[in-house]
Amino acid sequence: MSAMPILNATPPIAPLTGVAAELQGLIDEQYALHVGNADGVLADYIPELAKVPPDQFAIAMATYQGQIFSAGDTGVEFTIQSVSKVFTFAMLLEIAGRAETYRAVNVQPSADPFNAILLDPKNNRPFNPMVNAGAIAVAGRLRQDLGKSAFDEVLKTFERAAGRKLEVDDAVFQSERDTGHRNRAIGHLLRAVDVFDVPVDEVLDLYFRQCSIKVTAIDLAVMGATLANLGTNPLTADDVFHLDATRDTLSIMFTCGMYDGAGDWSINVGLPAKSGVGGGIMGVVNRQAGIGVFSPRLDENGNSVRGKFSCMGLAEQIGLHAFDPTNPGSTYLRRLTAPRR
Ligand code: GLN
């Protein structure tokens, strides 16, 4: 890949003033409010994830103009897991086009767990690209269209969205490859109904590898900001995704990104978002900012507990809910970037 700036994953060193200081203060406040919450459990069905120090916690926000605010363990890398589904889905939309993509996967929320071995009886397709079956269908189509270079393309796209070089956590990858029998079953089911016609093992290899890419909370915030910024990374000005792919992706994140928690999330947080069992949550404030939160203990839906509460708190404090007209709106974010008079 051509030279890519390595971003300094730390908040600005100069003291913050004005609205930037207020925003940083609100993020610090959410951190302090939730850091003591030890509810939830690690995703121990992937043995390697059971070894992650459970107390780690980070909150980050990146604006569409590339300012970064953060608190906690922002330098800690964790595996992206299901947040990856957002970006492989956007890739497939671009590579295969809308019609082909929606021949492989539906766009309906499902009331089943993320790892359900289940297809929509209507047409034998996965319910949506945010559950495992949908993401494995997407991986299958990417593997089919891109051949053996599929993973390199996925990694390159994730790097462009994050604005820095990323690596795979080999131990987590091996661990999931050795134990991911449910996902393998889903892969065979999809192969049986002709969603893709490449070897199931190669598709699963791609899926497990994409889930094992390591990111920080700041990376998730920047990747979210790339989607918020109409597909252009605000730090590198790289046009990573087209507008159409970005729009469909955000829509499906809104309805399906938080699995069974999606309904509660939509009324309480009101942002398109995606969680992963590594403990990451990525939220998108359309046209304004990305949010990245990391805390590995999960609730019964597989969503990070402290991640969920801190997103809820931030949305409330900053006024981020997409459909709340009485809210100050994202006044903070607007003031932050308002032209000087
Ligand atoms: N790799 C994980 C799995 O397939 C991803 C699930 C998730 O993050 N919800 O089980």
Side-chain angles (χ1 to χ4, degrees), residues 88 90-97 101 141-142 145-146 153 157:
T88 51
M91 281 179 76
L92 186 64
L93 280 169
E94 300 209 343
I95 290 165
T101 299
R141 297 303 280 248
L142 287 175
D145 288 0
L146 296 171
E153 293 296 322
T157 305

Side-chain angles (χ1 to χ4, degrees), residues 45-46 81-83 85 114-115 132 176 183 207-208 211 259 275-278 302:
Y45 75 96
I46 300 175
Q81 297 298 340
S82 283
V83 183
K85 295 167 178 172
F114 68 83
N115 58 1
N132 288 9
E176 197 173 6
N183 286 328
Y207 173 71
F208 293 145
C211 287
Y259 307 123
S275 61
V277 291

Side-chain angles (χ1 to χ4, degrees), residues 218-286:
I218 291 180
D219 291 329
L220 287 188
V222 174
M223 293 169 98
T226 297
L227 295 174
N229 192 36
L230 311 176
T232 301
N233 182 315
L235 299 170
T236 60
D238 186 358
D239 289 321
V240 188
F241 299 109
H242 296 145
L243 194 50
D244 291 350
T246 305
R247 191 188 61 179
D248 280 19
T249 303
L250 289 175
S251 309
I252 293 169
M253 282 170 70
F254 194 80
T255 50
C256 309
M258 302 302 283
Y259 307 123
D260 275 2
D264 286 342
W265 182 273
S266 72
I267 60 167
N268 290 317
V269 183
L271 295 176
K274 184 74 202 82
S275 61
V277 291
I281 297 180
M282 179 184 74
V284 177
V285 189
N286 200 25

